[in-house]
Amino acid sequence: MDERRIGDLLVDAGVVTRAALEDVLAQKPTLGEHRVLSELYELGYANERKLAELGAQRVGAPVAVLSECVVDLDVVRAVPAALLRDHRALPVSADERTITVVAVEPNDDTVNEQLAFTSGRRVLPLIGIETILEHTVDAVLEAVARGERFWRGAQAAVDVDKAHVAVARHAPAVALAEANE
């Protein structure tokens, strides 16, 4: 885990300028670390992939890049929508035993226990960038309400309308940014 503050990591890596970081911090001086990433994204100072890569470096764990994901909506249907909205959590993949869930607070035992109970699976938690996760949860639940089979992030590498097989072979259900060792 890198002990530097996330903003310093972003500036040192050239992801954002010091001026951009100071602009965000001046607007919201009490931002927590999660919100700094969200605000930089919302204001267009950085893209999700770069923020996730630096977030992964900071915490020493993978961070989901939701814009690059393809989500099987049957996995989402296994969990009540209210639970997903209330806890800013999104199930993105599952097998017979586990369900992979992206959350802002992935180590929240109470939420993970609720997700495990309602899905009948062990929860594999991943970190997500707060504002992106909130927007994605809403978009995914809207796709569920329309009766769609998949939700595709804007940067996902496959067109899910063309072939279900392509989803399994070429596009990860979960695109991750990991810390560079």
Side-chain angles (χ1 to χ4, degrees):
M1 180 166 156
D2 195 318
E3 294 302 321
R4 293 177 290 170
R5 293 187 324 197
I6 193 71
D8 293 330
L9 281 171
L10 292 164
V11 171
D12 291 349
V15 174
V16 298
T17 64
R18 177 68 59 191
L21 177 62
E22 288 174 4
D23 180 43
V24 166
L25 294 176
Q27 292 180 39
K28 312 239 176 161
T30 60
L31 287 176
E33 191 164 287
H34 292 299
R35 289 305 308 174
V36 168
L37 295 176
S38 291
E39 293 298 321
L40 288 166
Y41 175 80
E42 286 279 322
L43 294 172
Y45 288 126
N47 69 41
E48 181 185 15
R49 161 77 41 201
K50 292 292 186 186
L51 292 172
E53 287 171 355
L54 269 291
Q57 179 180 338
R58 171 72 173 90
V59 298
V63 176
V65 182
L66 293 169
S67 64
E68 298 175 10
C69 293
V70 175
V71 178
D72 181 339
L73 297 179
D74 286 341
V75 174
V76 177
R77 290 180 182 96
V79 180
L83 179 63
L84 303 179
R85 279 196 181 99
D86 291 347
H87 297 290
R88 296 172 305 185
L90 180 66
V92 292
S93 66
D95 60 26
E96 297 80 30
R97 294 186 183 144
T98 62
I99 186 167
T100 301
V101 178
V102 179
V104 173
E105 298 293 340
N107 296 318
D108 184 329
D109 291 335
T110 302
V111 174
N112 288 338
E113 288 170 10
Q114 289 177 328
L115 291 165
F117 179 77
T118 59
S119 70
R121 297 175 172 102
R122 181 178 62 86
V123 174
L124 176 63
L126 293 173
I127 302 167
I129 297 172
E130 187 171 12
T131 193
I132 298 167
L133 182 57
E134 289 169 354
H135 294 306
T136 303
V137 167
D138 290 341
V140 165
L141 292 175
E142 289 170 10
V144 166
R146 290 190 301 269
E148 295 176 15
R149 174 82 168 92
F150 295 100
W151 176 86
R152 176 184 178 270
Q155 304 300 315
V158 67
D159 183 353
V160 296
D161 294 328
K162 296 211 172 158
H164 173 68
V165 175
V167 173
R169 287 193 190 147
H170 301 295
V174 185
L176 299 175
E178 299 191 58
N180 295 328
E181 300 295 328

Coordinates of all heavy atoms in Angstrom, one line a residue, residues 15-81:
V15 N -1.5 12.0 -13.9 CA -2.9 11.8 -14.2 C -3.7 13.1 -14.2 O -4.6 13.3 -15.0 CB -3.5 10.7 -13.3 CG1 -5.0 10.6 -13.5 CG2 -2.8 9.4 -13.5
V16 N -3.4 13.9 -13.2 CA -4.0 15.2 -13.1 C -2.9 16.3 -12.8 O -1.9 15.9 -12.3 CB -5.1 15.3 -12.0 CG1 -6.3 14.4 -12.3 CG2 -4.6 15.1 -10.6
T17 N -3.2 17.5 -13.0 CA -2.3 18.6 -12.7 C -2.5 19.0 -11.2 O -3.6 18.7 -10.6 CB -2.5 19.8 -13.6 OG1 -3.8 20.3 -13.3 CG2 -2.3 19.5 -15.0
R18 N -1.5 19.6 -10.6 CA -1.7 20.1 -9.3 C -2.8 21.1 -9.2 O -3.6 21.2 -8.3 CB -0.4 20.7 -8.8 CG -0.4 21.4 -7.5 CD -0.5 20.5 -6.3 NE 0.5 19.5 -6.2 CZ 0.4 18.4 -5.4 NH1 -0.6 18.3 -4.5 NH2 1.4 17.5 -5.3
A19 N -2.9 21.9 -10.3 CA -4.0 22.9 -10.4 C -5.4 22.3 -10.3 O -6.3 22.7 -9.7 CB -3.9 23.8 -11.6
A20 N -5.6 21.2 -11.1 CA -6.8 20.5 -11.1 C -7.2 19.9 -9.7 O -8.3 20.0 -9.2 CB -6.8 19.3 -12.1
L21 N -6.2 19.3 -9.1 CA -6.4 18.8 -7.7 C -6.7 19.9 -6.8 O -7.7 19.8 -6.0 CB -5.1 18.0 -7.2 CG -5.2 17.5 -5.8 CD1 -6.3 16.5 -5.7 CD2 -3.8 16.9 -5.4
E22 N -6.0 21.0 -6.8 CA -6.3 22.1 -5.9 C -7.7 22.7 -6.2 O -8.4 23.1 -5.3 CB -5.2 23.2 -6.0 CG -3.9 22.7 -5.4 CD -2.7 23.6 -5.6 OE1 -2.9 24.7 -6.2 OE2 -1.6 23.3 -5.1
D23 N -8.1 22.7 -7.5 CA -9.5 23.2 -7.8 C -10.5 22.3 -7.1 O -11.4 22.8 -6.5 CB -9.6 23.1 -9.3 CG -11.0 23.6 -9.8 OD1 -11.5 24.6 -9.2 OD2 -11.6 23.0 -10.7
V24 N -10.4 21.0 -7.2 CA -11.3 20.1 -6.6 C -11.3 20.3 -5.0 O -12.3 20.4 -4.4 CB -11.0 18.6 -7.0 CG1 -11.8 17.7 -6.1 CG2 -11.4 18.4 -8.4
L25 N -10.1 20.3 -4.5 CA -10.0 20.5 -3.0 C -10.6 21.8 -2.5 O -11.1 21.9 -1.4 CB -8.6 20.2 -2.6 CG -8.1 18.8 -2.8 CD1 -6.6 18.7 -2.4 CD2 -8.9 17.8 -2.0
A26 N -10.4 22.9 -3.3 CA -10.9 24.2 -2.9 C -12.4 24.2 -2.9 O -13.0 24.9 -2.1 CB -10.3 25.3 -3.9
Q27 N -13.0 23.5 -3.9 CA -14.4 23.5 -4.0 C -15.0 22.7 -2.8 O -16.1 23.0 -2.4 CB -14.9 22.8 -5.3 CG -14.6 23.7 -6.5 CD -15.0 23.0 -7.8 OE1 -16.1 22.4 -7.8 NE2 -14.2 23.2 -8.8
K28 N -14.3 21.6 -2.4 CA -14.9 20.7 -1.4 C -13.7 20.4 -0.4 O -13.2 19.3 -0.5 CB -15.4 19.5 -2.1 CG -16.3 19.7 -3.2 CD -17.6 19.2 -3.0 CE -18.4 19.6 -4.2 NZ -19.6 19.0 -4.6
P29 N -13.4 21.3 0.5 CA -12.2 21.0 1.3 C -12.3 19.8 2.3 O -11.3 19.4 2.8 CB -12.1 22.4 2.1 CG -13.4 23.0 2.0 CD -14.1 22.5 0.7
T30 N -13.5 19.3 2.5 CA -13.6 18.2 3.4 C -13.8 16.9 2.7 O -14.3 15.9 3.4 CB -14.8 18.4 4.4 OG1 -16.0 18.6 3.7 CG2 -14.5 19.7 5.3
L31 N -13.4 16.8 1.5 CA -13.6 15.5 0.7 C -12.8 14.4 1.3 O -11.7 14.6 1.7 CB -13.2 15.7 -0.7 CG -14.1 16.5 -1.6 CD1 -13.4 16.7 -3.0 CD2 -15.4 15.9 -1.8
G32 N -13.4 13.2 1.4 CA -12.7 12.1 1.7 C -12.0 11.5 0.5 O -12.2 12.0 -0.6
E33 N -11.1 10.5 0.7 CA -10.4 10.0 -0.4 C -11.3 9.5 -1.6 O -11.0 9.7 -2.7 CB -9.5 8.9 0.1 CG -8.4 8.4 -0.9 CD -7.3 7.6 -0.3 OE1 -6.5 8.2 0.4 OE2 -7.3 6.4 -0.5
H34 N -12.3 8.8 -1.2 CA -13.3 8.3 -2.3 C -13.8 9.4 -3.1 O -13.9 9.3 -4.3 CB -14.4 7.5 -1.7 CG -14.0 6.2 -1.0 ND1 -13.4 5.2 -1.7 CD2 -14.1 5.8 0.2 CE1 -13.2 4.2 -0.9 NE2 -13.6 4.5 0.3
R35 N -14.2 10.5 -2.4 CA -14.8 11.6 -3.1 C -13.8 12.4 -4.0 O -14.2 13.0 -5.0 CB -15.5 12.5 -2.1 CG -16.8 12.0 -1.5 CD -17.8 11.5 -2.5 NE -18.2 12.5 -3.5 CZ -19.0 12.2 -4.5 NH1 -19.6 11.0 -4.6 NH2 -19.3 13.1 -5.4
V36 N -12.6 12.4 -3.6 CA -11.6 13.1 -4.4 C -11.6 12.5 -5.8 O -11.6 13.1 -6.9 CB -10.2 13.1 -3.8 CG1 -9.1 13.6 -4.8 CG2 -10.2 14.0 -2.6
L37 N -11.5 11.1 -5.9 CA -11.5 10.4 -7.2 C -12.8 10.7 -7.9 O -12.8 11.0 -9.1 CB -11.3 8.9 -6.9 CG -10.0 8.5 -6.3 CD1 -10.1 7.0 -6.1 CD2 -8.9 8.8 -7.2
S38 N -13.9 10.7 -7.2 CA -15.2 11.0 -7.9 C -15.3 12.4 -8.4 O -15.7 12.6 -9.6 CB -16.3 10.7 -6.9 OG -16.5 9.4 -6.5
E39 N -14.8 13.3 -7.7 CA -14.9 14.7 -8.1 C -14.0 15.0 -9.3 O -14.3 15.7 -10.2 CB -14.6 15.7 -7.0 CG -15.6 15.7 -5.9 CD -17.0 16.1 -6.3 OE1 -17.1 17.1 -7.2 OE2 -18.0 15.6 -5.9
L40 N -12.8 14.4 -9.3 CA -11.9 14.5 -10.4 C -12.5 13.9 -11.7 O -12.4 14.5 -12.8 CB -10.5 13.9 -10.1 CG -9.6 14.6 -9.1 CD1 -8.5 13.7 -8.6 CD2 -9.1 15.9 -9.7
Y41 N -13.2 12.8 -11.5 CA -13.9 12.2 -12.7 C -15.0 13.1 -13.1 O -15.2 13.3 -14.3 CB -14.3 10.8 -12.3 CG -15.2 10.1 -13.3 CD1 -14.5 9.5 -14.4 CD2 -16.5 10.1 -13.3 CE1 -15.3 8.9 -15.4 CE2 -17.3 9.5 -14.3 CZ -16.7 8.9 -15.3 OH -17.4 8.4 -16.3
E42 N -15.9 13.5 -12.2 CA -17.1 14.3 -12.5 C -16.7 15.6 -13.2 O -17.4 16.0 -14.1 CB -17.9 14.6 -11.3 CG -18.6 13.4 -10.7 CD -19.9 13.2 -11.4 OE1 -20.6 14.1 -11.8 OE2 -20.3 12.0 -11.5
L43 N -15.6 16.2 -12.8 CA -15.2 17.5 -13.4 C -14.4 17.3 -14.7 O -14.0 18.2 -15.3 CB -14.5 18.3 -12.4 CG -15.3 18.8 -11.2 CD1 -14.4 19.4 -10.2 CD2 -16.4 19.7 -11.7
G44 N -14.2 16.0 -15.1 CA -13.5 15.7 -16.4 C -12.0 15.9 -16.3 O -11.3 15.9 -17.4
Y45 N -11.4 15.9 -15.1 CA -10.0 16.0 -15.0 C -9.2 14.7 -15.3 O -8.1 14.7 -15.6 CB -9.6 16.5 -13.6 CG -9.9 18.0 -13.4 CD1 -10.6 18.4 -12.3 CD2 -9.4 18.9 -14.3 CE1 -10.9 19.7 -12.1 CE2 -9.7 20.3 -14.1 CZ -10.4 20.7 -13.0 OH -10.7 22.0 -12.8
A46 N -9.9 13.5 -15.1 CA -9.3 12.2 -15.3 C -10.3 11.2 -15.7 O -11.5 11.3 -15.3 CB -8.6 11.8 -14.0
N47 N -9.9 10.1 -16.4 CA -10.8 9.1 -16.8 C -10.8 8.0 -15.7 O -9.9 7.9 -14.9 CB -10.5 8.5 -18.2 CG -9.2 7.8 -18.3 OD1 -8.8 7.0 -17.4 ND2 -8.4 8.0 -19.3
E48 N -11.8 7.1 -15.8 CA -11.9 6.1 -14.8 C -10.8 5.1 -14.8 O -10.3 4.7 -13.7 CB -13.2 5.3 -15.1 CG -13.5 4.2 -14.1 CD -14.7 3.3 -14.5 OE1 -15.2 3.3 -15.6 OE2 -15.1 2.6 -13.6
R49 N -10.2 4.7 -15.9 CA -9.1 3.7 -15.9 C -7.9 4.3 -15.1 O -7.4 3.6 -14.3 CB -8.8 3.4 -17.4 CG -7.4 2.8 -17.6 CD -7.2 1.4 -17.3 NE -8.1 0.4 -17.6 CZ -8.1 -0.8 -16.9 NH1 -7.2 -1.1 -16.0 NH2 -8.9 -1.8 -17.2
K50 N -7.5 5.5 -15.4 CA -6.4 6.1 -14.7 C -6.6 6.3 -13.2 O -5.7 6.0 -12.4 CB -6.0 7.5 -15.3 CG -5.5 7.4 -16.7 CD -4.1 6.7 -16.7 CE -3.5 6.8 -18.1 NZ -2.3 6.0 -18.2
L51 N -7.8 6.7 -12.9 CA -8.1 6.8 -11.5 C -8.1 5.5 -10.8 O -7.6 5.4 -9.6 CB -9.5 7.5 -11.3 CG -9.6 9.0 -11.7 CD1 -11.0 9.5 -11.7 CD2 -8.7 9.9 -10.8
A52 N -8.7 4.5 -11.4 CA -8.7 3.1 -10.8 C -7.3 2.6 -10.7 O -7.0 2.0 -9.6 CB -9.5 2.2 -11.7
E53 N -6.4 2.8 -11.6 CA -5.0 2.3 -11.6 C -4.3 2.9 -10.3 O -3.6 2.2 -9.6 CB -4.3 2.6 -12.8 CG -4.7 1.7 -14.0 CD -4.1 2.1 -15.3 OE1 -3.4 3.2 -15.4 OE2 -4.3 1.4 -16.3
L54 N -4.5 4.2 -10.2 CA -3.9 4.9 -9.0 C -4.5 4.5 -7.7 O -3.9 4.4 -6.7 CB -3.8 6.4 -9.2 CG -2.6 6.9 -9.9 CD1 -1.3 6.8 -9.1 CD2 -2.3 6.4 -11.3
G55 N -5.8 4.3 -7.8 CA -6.5 3.9 -6.6 C -6.0 2.5 -6.1 O -5.8 2.2 -5.0
A56 N -5.8 1.6 -7.1 CA -5.3 0.3 -6.8 C -3.9 0.3 -6.2 O -3.6 -0.4 -5.3 CB -5.3 -0.6 -8.1
Q57 N -3.1 1.2 -6.8 CA -1.8 1.4 -6.2 C -1.9 1.9 -4.8 O -1.1 1.4 -3.9 CB -1.0 2.4 -7.0 CG 0.4 2.7 -6.5 CD 1.2 3.7 -7.4 OE1 0.9 3.9 -8.5 NE2 2.2 4.3 -6.8
R58 N -2.8 2.8 -4.5 CA -2.9 3.4 -3.2 C -3.3 2.4 -2.1 O -2.8 2.3 -1.0 CB -3.9 4.5 -3.2 CG -4.3 5.1 -1.9 CD -3.2 5.9 -1.3 NE -3.6 6.6 -0.1 CZ -3.5 6.1 1.1 NH1 -3.0 4.9 1.3 NH2 -3.9 6.8 2.2
V59 N -4.3 1.5 -2.5 CA -4.8 0.6 -1.5 C -4.2 -0.8 -1.6 O -4.4 -1.7 -0.8 CB -6.4 0.4 -1.6 CG1 -7.0 1.8 -1.3 CG2 -6.8 -0.1 -2.9
G60 N -3.4 -1.1 -2.7 CA -2.8 -2.4 -2.8 C -3.8 -3.5 -3.2 O -3.6 -4.7 -2.9
A61 N -4.9 -3.1 -3.8 CA -5.9 -4.1 -4.2 C -6.5 -3.7 -5.5 O -6.5 -2.5 -5.9 CB -7.0 -4.2 -3.1
P62 N -7.1 -4.6 -6.3 CA -7.7 -4.3 -7.6 C -8.9 -3.4 -7.4 O -9.6 -3.4 -6.4 CB -8.2 -5.6 -8.1 CG -7.5 -6.7 -7.4 CD -7.1 -6.1 -6.0
V63 N -9.1 -2.5 -8.4 CA -10.2 -1.6 -8.4 C -11.0 -1.8 -9.7 O -10.4 -1.9 -10.8 CB -9.8 -0.1 -8.3 CG1 -11.0 0.8 -8.5 CG2 -9.0 0.2 -7.0
A64 N -12.3 -2.0 -9.6 CA -13.1 -2.3 -10.8 C -13.2 -1.0 -11.7 O -13.3 0.1 -11.3 CB -14.5 -2.7 -10.5
V65 N -13.1 -1.3 -13.1 CA -13.2 -0.2 -14.1 C -14.6 -0.5 -14.7 O -14.7 -1.3 -15.7 CB -12.1 -0.2 -15.1 CG1 -12.2 0.9 -16.1 CG2 -10.7 -0.1 -14.4
L66 N -15.6 0.0 -14.2 CA -17.0 -0.3 -14.6 C -17.3 0.0 -16.0 O -18.1 -0.7 -16.7 CB -18.0 0.3 -13.6 CG -17.9 -0.3 -12.2 CD1 -18.8 0.5 -11.3 CD2 -18.4 -1.8 -12.2
S67 N -16.7 1.1 -16.6 CA -17.0 1.4 -17.9 C -16.5 0.4 -18.9 O -16.9 0.4 -20.1 CB -16.4 2.8 -18.3 OG -15.0 2.8 -18.2
E68 N -15.6 -0.5 -18.5 CA -15.1 -1.5 -19.4 C -15.7 -2.9 -19.1 O -15.3 -3.9 -19.7 CB -13.6 -1.6 -19.2 CG -12.8 -0.4 -19.5 CD -11.3 -0.4 -19.2 OE1 -10.8 -1.5 -18.9 OE2 -10.7 0.6 -19.3
C69 N -16.7 -3.0 -18.3 CA -17.3 -4.2 -17.9 C -18.6 -4.6 -18.7 O -19.3 -3.7 -19.2 CB -17.8 -4.2 -16.4 SG -16.4 -4.1 -15.3
V70 N -18.8 -5.9 -18.8 CA -20.1 -6.4 -19.3 C -20.7 -7.2 -18.1 O -20.1 -8.1 -17.6 CB -19.9 -7.3 -20.5 CG1 -21.2 -7.9 -20.9 CG2 -19.2 -6.5 -21.6
V71 N -21.9 -6.8 -17.7 CA -22.6 -7.4 -16.6 C -23.8 -8.2 -17.1 O -24.6 -7.7 -17.8 CB -23.1 -6.3 -15.6 CG1 -23.8 -6.9 -14.4 CG2 -21.9 -5.5 -15.1
D72 N -23.8 -9.5 -16.6 CA -24.9 -10.4 -16.9 C -26.0 -10.0 -15.9 O -25.8 -10.1 -14.7 CB -24.5 -11.8 -16.7 CG -25.6 -12.8 -16.9 OD1 -26.8 -12.5 -16.9 OD2 -25.3 -14.0 -17.1
L73 N -27.1 -9.5 -16.4 CA -28.1 -9.0 -15.5 C -28.8 -10.0 -14.7 O -29.5 -9.7 -13.7 CB -29.1 -8.1 -16.3 CG -28.4 -6.9 -16.9 CD1 -29.4 -6.1 -17.7 CD2 -27.7 -6.0 -15.9
D74 N -28.7 -11.3 -15.0 CA -29.3 -12.3 -14.2 C -28.5 -12.3 -12.8 O -29.1 -12.7 -11.8 CB -29.1 -13.7 -14.8 CG -30.2 -13.9 -16.0 OD1 -31.2 -13.1 -16.0 OD2 -29.9 -14.8 -16.8
V75 N -27.3 -12.0 -12.8 CA -26.5 -11.9 -11.5 C -27.1 -10.8 -10.7 O -27.3 -10.9 -9.5 CB -25.0 -11.7 -11.8 CG1 -24.2 -11.4 -10.6 CG2 -24.4 -12.8 -12.6
V76 N -27.4 -9.6 -11.3 CA -28.0 -8.5 -10.6 C -29.3 -8.8 -10.1 O -29.7 -8.5 -8.9 CB -28.0 -7.3 -11.5 CG1 -28.7 -6.1 -10.8 CG2 -26.6 -6.9 -12.0
R77 N -30.1 -9.6 -10.8 CA -31.5 -10.0 -10.4 C -31.5 -10.8 -9.1 O -32.5 -11.0 -8.5 CB -32.2 -10.7 -11.5 CG -32.6 -9.7 -12.7 CD -33.3 -10.5 -13.8 NE -33.6 -9.6 -14.9 CZ -32.8 -9.5 -16.0 NH1 -31.8 -10.2 -16.1 NH2 -33.2 -8.6 -16.9
A78 N -30.3 -11.4 -8.8 CA -30.2 -12.3 -7.6 C -30.2 -11.5 -6.3 O -30.3 -12.1 -5.2 CB -29.0 -13.2 -7.7
V79 N -30.1 -10.2 -6.4 CA -30.0 -9.3 -5.2 C -31.1 -8.2 -5.3 O -31.3 -7.6 -6.4 CB -28.6 -8.7 -5.1 CG1 -28.5 -7.8 -3.9 CG2 -27.6 -9.8 -5.1
P80 N -31.8 -7.9 -4.2 CA -32.8 -6.9 -4.3 C -32.2 -5.5 -4.7 O -31.2 -5.1 -4.2 CB -33.4 -6.8 -2.8 CG -33.0 -8.2 -2.2 CD -31.8 -8.6 -2.9
A81 N -32.9 -4.8 -5.5 CA -32.5 -3.5 -6.0 C -32.3 -2.5 -4.9 O -31.3 -1.7 -4.9 CB -33.5 -3.0 -7.0

